PDB file of all heavy atoms in Angstrom:
ATOM      1  N   ILE A 162     -20.357   4.527   8.849  1.00 92.00           N
ATOM      2  CA  ILE A 162     -19.330   5.509   8.462  1.00 92.00           C
ATOM      3  C   ILE A 162     -17.967   4.827   8.370  1.00 92.00           C
ATOM      4  O   ILE A 162     -17.210   5.033   7.403  1.00 92.00           O
ATOM      5  CB  ILE A 162     -19.287   6.677   9.488  1.00 92.00           C
ATOM      6  CG1 ILE A 162     -20.559   7.499   9.397  1.00 92.00           C
ATOM      7  CG2 ILE A 162     -18.054   7.550   9.234  1.00 92.00           C
ATOM      8  CD1 ILE A 162     -20.693   8.533  10.513  1.00 92.00           C
ATOM      9  N   ALA A 163     -17.655   3.986   9.362  1.00 91.00           N
ATOM     10  CA  ALA A 163     -16.384   3.258   9.354  1.00 91.00           C
ATOM     11  C   ALA A 163     -16.305   2.324   8.149  1.00 91.00           C
ATOM     12  O   ALA A 163     -15.255   2.206   7.500  1.00 91.00           O
ATOM     13  CB  ALA A 163     -16.211   2.478  10.642  1.00 91.00           C
ATOM     14  N   LEU A 164     -17.442   1.666   7.850  1.00 88.00           N
ATOM     15  CA  LEU A 164     -17.483   0.754   6.699  1.00 88.00           C
ATOM     16  C   LEU A 164     -17.240   1.519   5.398  1.00 88.00           C
ATOM     17  O   LEU A 164     -16.491   1.066   4.524  1.00 88.00           O
ATOM     18  CB  LEU A 164     -18.839   0.057   6.655  1.00 88.00           C
ATOM     19  CG  LEU A 164     -19.075  -0.913   5.489  1.00 88.00           C
ATOM     20  CD1 LEU A 164     -18.099  -2.073   5.568  1.00 88.00           C
ATOM     21  CD2 LEU A 164     -20.518  -1.406   5.486  1.00 88.00           C
ATOM     22  N   LEU A 165     -17.850   2.690   5.258  1.00 91.00           N
ATOM     23  CA  LEU A 165     -17.672   3.516   4.066  1.00 91.00           C
ATOM     24  C   LEU A 165     -16.189   3.887   3.876  1.00 91.00           C
ATOM     25  O   LEU A 165     -15.651   3.783   2.773  1.00 91.00           O
ATOM     26  CB  LEU A 165     -18.508   4.783   4.168  1.00 91.00           C
ATOM     27  CG  LEU A 165     -18.246   5.871   3.114  1.00 91.00           C
ATOM     28  CD1 LEU A 165     -18.561   5.353   1.715  1.00 91.00           C
ATOM     29  CD2 LEU A 165     -19.071   7.126   3.428  1.00 91.00           C
ATOM     30  N   VAL A 166     -15.543   4.286   4.967  1.00 91.00           N
ATOM     31  CA  VAL A 166     -14.123   4.672   4.896  1.00 91.00           C
ATOM     32  C   VAL A 166     -13.265   3.486   4.495  1.00 91.00           C
ATOM     33  O   VAL A 166     -12.299   3.609   3.731  1.00 91.00           O
ATOM     34  CB  VAL A 166     -13.665   5.263   6.238  1.00 91.00           C
ATOM     35  CG1 VAL A 166     -12.144   5.476   6.256  1.00 91.00           C
ATOM     36  CG2 VAL A 166     -14.376   6.576   6.522  1.00 91.00           C
ATOM     37  N   CYS A 167     -13.624   2.302   5.000  1.00 88.00           N
ATOM     38  CA  CYS A 167     -12.847   1.092   4.662  1.00 88.00           C
ATOM     39  C   CYS A 167     -12.989   0.703   3.209  1.00 88.00           C
ATOM     40  O   CYS A 167     -12.037   0.229   2.575  1.00 88.00           O
ATOM     41  CB  CYS A 167     -13.294  -0.074   5.552  1.00 88.00           C
ATOM     42  SG  CYS A 167     -12.740   0.064   7.258  1.00 88.00           S
ATOM     43  N   LEU A 168     -14.201   0.856   2.667  1.00 86.00           N
ATOM     44  CA  LEU A 168     -14.461   0.384   1.315  1.00 86.00           C
ATOM     45  C   LEU A 168     -14.121   1.418   0.238  1.00 86.00           C
ATOM     46  O   LEU A 168     -13.865   1.064  -0.906  1.00 86.00           O
ATOM     47  CB  LEU A 168     -15.923  -0.043   1.183  1.00 86.00           C
ATOM     48  CG  LEU A 168     -16.360  -1.183   2.111  1.00 86.00           C
ATOM     49  CD1 LEU A 168     -17.792  -1.587   1.810  1.00 86.00           C
ATOM     50  CD2 LEU A 168     -15.440  -2.380   1.955  1.00 86.00           C
ATOM     51  N   ALA A 169     -14.133   2.687   0.580  1.00 89.00           N
ATOM     52  CA  ALA A 169     -13.770   3.728  -0.397  1.00 89.00           C
ATOM     53  C   ALA A 169     -12.254   3.657  -0.666  1.00 89.00           C
ATOM     54  O   ALA A 169     -11.484   3.188   0.182  1.00 89.00           O
ATOM     55  CB  ALA A 169     -14.139   5.107   0.149  1.00 89.00           C
ATOM     56  N   PRO A 170     -11.824   4.122  -1.833  1.00 91.00           N
ATOM     57  CA  PRO A 170     -10.389   4.042  -2.181  1.00 91.00           C
ATOM     58  C   PRO A 170      -9.565   5.098  -1.449  1.00 91.00           C
ATOM     59  O   PRO A 170      -8.937   5.971  -2.057  1.00 91.00           O
ATOM     60  CB  PRO A 170     -10.407   4.265  -3.694  1.00 91.00           C
ATOM     61  CG  PRO A 170     -11.609   5.099  -3.961  1.00 91.00           C
ATOM     62  CD  PRO A 170     -12.622   4.651  -2.954  1.00 91.00           C
ATOM     63  N   THR A 171      -9.575   5.021  -0.117  1.00 92.00           N
ATOM     64  CA  THR A 171      -8.896   6.038   0.672  1.00 92.00           C
ATOM     65  C   THR A 171      -7.375   5.919   0.608  1.00 92.00           C
ATOM     66  O   THR A 171      -6.665   6.914   0.771  1.00 92.00           O
ATOM     67  CB  THR A 171      -9.338   5.946   2.148  1.00 92.00           C
ATOM     68  OG1 THR A 171      -9.217   4.592   2.597  1.00 92.00           O
ATOM     69  CG2 THR A 171     -10.778   6.399   2.301  1.00 92.00           C
ATOM     70  N   THR A 172      -6.852   4.725   0.378  1.00 91.00           N
ATOM     71  CA  THR A 172      -5.387   4.550   0.369  1.00 91.00           C
ATOM     72  C   THR A 172      -4.761   5.355  -0.740  1.00 91.00           C
ATOM     73  O   THR A 172      -3.863   6.184  -0.506  1.00 91.00           O
ATOM     74  CB  THR A 172      -5.029   3.057   0.210  1.00 91.00           C
ATOM     75  OG1 THR A 172      -5.673   2.299   1.215  1.00 91.00           O
ATOM     76  CG2 THR A 172      -3.518   2.862   0.321  1.00 91.00           C
ATOM     77  N   ILE A 173      -5.208   5.155  -1.971  1.00 91.00           N
ATOM     78  CA  ILE A 173      -4.640   5.917  -3.096  1.00 91.00           C
ATOM     79  C   ILE A 173      -5.119   7.369  -3.033  1.00 91.00           C
ATOM     80  O   ILE A 173      -4.390   8.292  -3.417  1.00 91.00           O
ATOM     81  CB  ILE A 173      -5.016   5.265  -4.448  1.00 91.00           C
ATOM     82  CG1 ILE A 173      -4.296   5.991  -5.602  1.00 91.00           C
ATOM     83  CG2 ILE A 173      -6.509   5.236  -4.675  1.00 91.00           C
ATOM     84  CD1 ILE A 173      -2.787   5.944  -5.530  1.00 91.00           C
ATOM     85  N   GLY A 174      -6.326   7.580  -2.507  1.00 90.00           N
ATOM     86  CA  GLY A 174      -6.813   8.959  -2.345  1.00 90.00           C
ATOM     87  C   GLY A 174      -5.921   9.761  -1.435  1.00 90.00           C
ATOM     88  O   GLY A 174      -5.675  10.957  -1.655  1.00 90.00           O
ATOM     89  N   ALA A 175      -5.414   9.120  -0.364  1.00 91.00           N
ATOM     90  CA  ALA A 175      -4.543   9.798   0.585  1.00 91.00           C
ATOM     91  C   ALA A 175      -3.161  10.061   0.017  1.00 91.00           C
ATOM     92  O   ALA A 175      -2.503  11.036   0.385  1.00 91.00           O
ATOM     93  CB  ALA A 175      -4.427   8.962   1.857  1.00 91.00           C
ATOM     94  N   LEU A 176      -2.707   9.193  -0.888  1.00 90.00           N
ATOM     95  CA  LEU A 176      -1.315   9.262  -1.383  1.00 90.00           C
ATOM     96  C   LEU A 176      -1.185   9.893  -2.763  1.00 90.00           C
ATOM     97  O   LEU A 176      -0.052  10.165  -3.208  1.00 90.00           O
ATOM     98  CB  LEU A 176      -0.714   7.854  -1.409  1.00 90.00           C
ATOM     99  CG  LEU A 176      -0.631   7.128  -0.072  1.00 90.00           C
ATOM    100  CD1 LEU A 176      -0.186   5.685  -0.271  1.00 90.00           C
ATOM    101  CD2 LEU A 176       0.312   7.842   0.885  1.00 90.00           C
ATOM    102  N   LEU A 177      -2.282  10.125  -3.448  1.00 87.00           N
ATOM    103  CA  LEU A 177      -2.244  10.577  -4.840  1.00 87.00           C
ATOM    104  C   LEU A 177      -1.453  11.879  -4.989  1.00 87.00           C
ATOM    105  O   LEU A 177      -0.598  12.008  -5.866  1.00 87.00           O
ATOM    106  CB  LEU A 177      -3.667  10.756  -5.366  1.00 87.00           C
ATOM    107  CG  LEU A 177      -3.793  11.108  -6.851  1.00 87.00           C
ATOM    108  CD1 LEU A 177      -3.180  10.021  -7.722  1.00 87.00           C
ATOM    109  CD2 LEU A 177      -5.263  11.300  -7.230  1.00 87.00           C
ATOM    110  N   SER A 178      -1.741  12.840  -4.149  1.00 84.00           N
ATOM    111  CA  SER A 178      -1.071  14.135  -4.250  1.00 84.00           C
ATOM    112  C   SER A 178       0.417  14.009  -3.960  1.00 84.00           C
ATOM    113  O   SER A 178       1.260  14.589  -4.659  1.00 84.00           O
ATOM    114  CB  SER A 178      -1.710  15.140  -3.298  1.00 84.00           C
ATOM    115  OG  SER A 178      -1.096  16.402  -3.425  1.00 84.00           O
ATOM    116  N   SER A 179       0.776  13.230  -2.933  1.00 86.00           N
ATOM    117  CA  SER A 179       2.190  13.093  -2.554  1.00 86.00           C
ATOM    118  C   SER A 179       2.990  12.409  -3.653  1.00 86.00           C
ATOM    119  O   SER A 179       4.170  12.706  -3.845  1.00 86.00           O
ATOM    120  CB  SER A 179       2.319  12.313  -1.250  1.00 86.00           C
ATOM    121  OG  SER A 179       1.895  10.978  -1.396  1.00 86.00           O
ATOM    122  N   ILE A 180       2.362  11.489  -4.392  1.00 87.00           N
ATOM    123  CA  ILE A 180       3.059  10.804  -5.485  1.00 87.00           C
ATOM    124  C   ILE A 180       3.479  11.817  -6.540  1.00 87.00           C
ATOM    125  O   ILE A 180       4.603  11.804  -7.039  1.00 87.00           O
ATOM    126  CB  ILE A 180       2.164   9.716  -6.111  1.00 87.00           C
ATOM    127  CG1 ILE A 180       1.931   8.585  -5.117  1.00 87.00           C
ATOM    128  CG2 ILE A 180       2.796   9.156  -7.391  1.00 87.00           C
ATOM    129  CD1 ILE A 180       0.862   7.597  -5.537  1.00 87.00           C
ATOM    130  N   GLY A 181       2.539  12.708  -6.931  1.00 82.00           N
ATOM    131  CA  GLY A 181       2.844  13.720  -7.937  1.00 82.00           C
ATOM    132  C   GLY A 181       3.899  14.703  -7.486  1.00 82.00           C
ATOM    133  O   GLY A 181       4.821  15.044  -8.227  1.00 82.00           O
ATOM    134  N   ILE A 182       3.791  15.162  -6.225  1.00 81.00           N
ATOM    135  CA  ILE A 182       4.754  16.123  -5.696  1.00 81.00           C
ATOM    136  C   ILE A 182       6.135  15.486  -5.603  1.00 81.00           C
ATOM    137  O   ILE A 182       7.153  16.089  -5.930  1.00 81.00           O
ATOM    138  CB  ILE A 182       4.309  16.631  -4.307  1.00 81.00           C
ATOM    139  CG1 ILE A 182       3.003  17.422  -4.438  1.00 81.00           C
ATOM    140  CG2 ILE A 182       5.376  17.519  -3.680  1.00 81.00           C
ATOM    141  CD1 ILE A 182       2.358  17.773  -3.114  1.00 81.00           C
ATOM    142  N   ALA A 183       6.185  14.220  -5.138  1.00 83.00           N
ATOM    143  CA  ALA A 183       7.460  13.523  -5.011  1.00 83.00           C
ATOM    144  C   ALA A 183       8.113  13.303  -6.366  1.00 83.00           C
ATOM    145  O   ALA A 183       9.335  13.357  -6.495  1.00 83.00           O
ATOM    146  CB  ALA A 183       7.258  12.197  -4.302  1.00 83.00           C
ATOM    147  N   GLY A 184       7.297  13.025  -7.405  1.00 82.00           N
ATOM    148  CA  GLY A 184       7.844  12.846  -8.746  1.00 82.00           C
ATOM    149  C   GLY A 184       8.524  14.115  -9.227  1.00 82.00           C
ATOM    150  O   GLY A 184       9.622  14.086  -9.800  1.00 82.00           O
ATOM    151  N   MET A 185       7.885  15.264  -8.970  1.00 79.00           N
ATOM    152  CA  MET A 185       8.487  16.550  -9.358  1.00 79.00           C
ATOM    153  C   MET A 185       9.743  16.820  -8.527  1.00 79.00           C
ATOM    154  O   MET A 185      10.727  17.365  -9.019  1.00 79.00           O
ATOM    155  CB  MET A 185       7.463  17.663  -9.182  1.00 79.00           C
ATOM    156  CG  MET A 185       7.915  19.011  -9.719  1.00 79.00           C
ATOM    157  SD  MET A 185       6.559  20.203  -9.817  1.00 79.00           S
ATOM    158  CE  MET A 185       5.682  19.609 -11.260  1.00 79.00           C
ATOM    159  N   SER A 186       9.712  16.400  -7.269  1.00 80.00           N
ATOM    160  CA  SER A 186      10.875  16.577  -6.396  1.00 80.00           C
ATOM    161  C   SER A 186      12.055  15.759  -6.897  1.00 80.00           C
ATOM    162  O   SER A 186      13.198  16.230  -6.867  1.00 80.00           O
ATOM    163  CB  SER A 186      10.517  16.178  -4.962  1.00 80.00           C
ATOM    164  OG  SER A 186      11.633  16.313  -4.109  1.00 80.00           O
ATOM    165  N   ARG A 187      11.801  14.519  -7.350  1.00 83.00           N
ATOM    166  CA  ARG A 187      12.886  13.694  -7.891  1.00 83.00           C
ATOM    167  C   ARG A 187      13.496  14.336  -9.117  1.00 83.00           C
ATOM    168  O   ARG A 187      14.713  14.272  -9.343  1.00 83.00           O
ATOM    169  CB  ARG A 187      12.363  12.288  -8.234  1.00 83.00           C
ATOM    170  CG  ARG A 187      12.169  11.393  -7.030  1.00 83.00           C
ATOM    171  CD  ARG A 187      12.010   9.940  -7.426  1.00 83.00           C
ATOM    172  NE  ARG A 187      10.776   9.699  -8.160  1.00 83.00           N
ATOM    173  CZ  ARG A 187       9.588   9.473  -7.588  1.00 83.00           C
ATOM    174  NH1 ARG A 187       9.493   9.459  -6.268  1.00 83.00           N
ATOM    175  NH2 ARG A 187       8.517   9.257  -8.319  1.00 83.00           N
ATOM    176  N   LEU A 188      12.655  14.972  -9.918  1.00 83.00           N
ATOM    177  CA  LEU A 188      13.158  15.659 -11.099  1.00 83.00           C
ATOM    178  C   LEU A 188      14.009  16.866 -10.686  1.00 83.00           C
ATOM    179  O   LEU A 188      15.059  17.129 -11.281  1.00 83.00           O
ATOM    180  CB  LEU A 188      11.981  16.111 -11.973  1.00 83.00           C
ATOM    181  CG  LEU A 188      12.292  16.388 -13.448  1.00 83.00           C
ATOM    182  CD1 LEU A 188      12.735  15.115 -14.162  1.00 83.00           C
ATOM    183  CD2 LEU A 188      11.069  16.970 -14.154  1.00 83.00           C
ATOM    184  N   ASN A 189      13.564  17.580  -9.661  1.00 78.00           N
ATOM    185  CA  ASN A 189      14.331  18.721  -9.171  1.00 78.00           C
ATOM    186  C   ASN A 189      15.688  18.292  -8.638  1.00 78.00           C
ATOM    187  O   ASN A 189      16.688  18.974  -8.812  1.00 78.00           O
ATOM    188  CB  ASN A 189      13.557  19.445  -8.062  1.00 78.00           C
ATOM    189  CG  ASN A 189      12.327  20.160  -8.603  1.00 78.00           C
ATOM    190  OD1 ASN A 189      12.284  20.534  -9.763  1.00 78.00           O
ATOM    191  ND2 ASN A 189      11.322  20.335  -7.760  1.00 78.00           N
ATOM    192  N   LYS A 190      15.720  17.117  -7.963  1.00 78.00           N
ATOM    193  CA  LYS A 190      16.989  16.607  -7.443  1.00 78.00           C
ATOM    194  C   LYS A 190      17.948  16.260  -8.582  1.00 78.00           C
ATOM    195  O   LYS A 190      19.166  16.292  -8.410  1.00 78.00           O
ATOM    196  CB  LYS A 190      16.744  15.368  -6.588  1.00 78.00           C
ATOM    197  CG  LYS A 190      16.189  15.686  -5.202  1.00 78.00           C
ATOM    198  CD  LYS A 190      16.047  14.438  -4.380  1.00 78.00           C
ATOM    199  CE  LYS A 190      15.518  14.771  -2.982  1.00 78.00           C
ATOM    200  NZ  LYS A 190      15.343  13.549  -2.148  1.00 78.00           N
ATOM    201  N   ALA A 191      17.390  15.909  -9.721  1.00 81.00           N
ATOM    202  CA  ALA A 191      18.225  15.644 -10.900  1.00 81.00           C
ATOM    203  C   ALA A 191      18.610  16.933 -11.606  1.00 81.00           C
ATOM    204  O   ALA A 191      19.203  16.909 -12.686  1.00 81.00           O
ATOM    205  CB  ALA A 191      17.472  14.715 -11.868  1.00 81.00           C
TER     206      ALA A 191
END
């Protein structure tokens, strides 16, 4: 299980949503 978590693309999977929300937030700040 630990090996699966290490090898799966969890880094971008964890951050994907925040990237999109933050992009919209930067636009709102402008």
Side-chain angles (χ1 to χ4, degrees):
I162 292 171
L164 179 64
L165 169 62
V166 172
C167 287
L168 299 184
T171 51
T172 306
I173 186 61
L176 299 173
L177 185 60
S178 182
S179 66
I180 293 169
I182 296 170
M185 188 168 284
S186 179
R187 283 195 294 275
L188 202 64
N189 291 334
K190 284 183 179 179

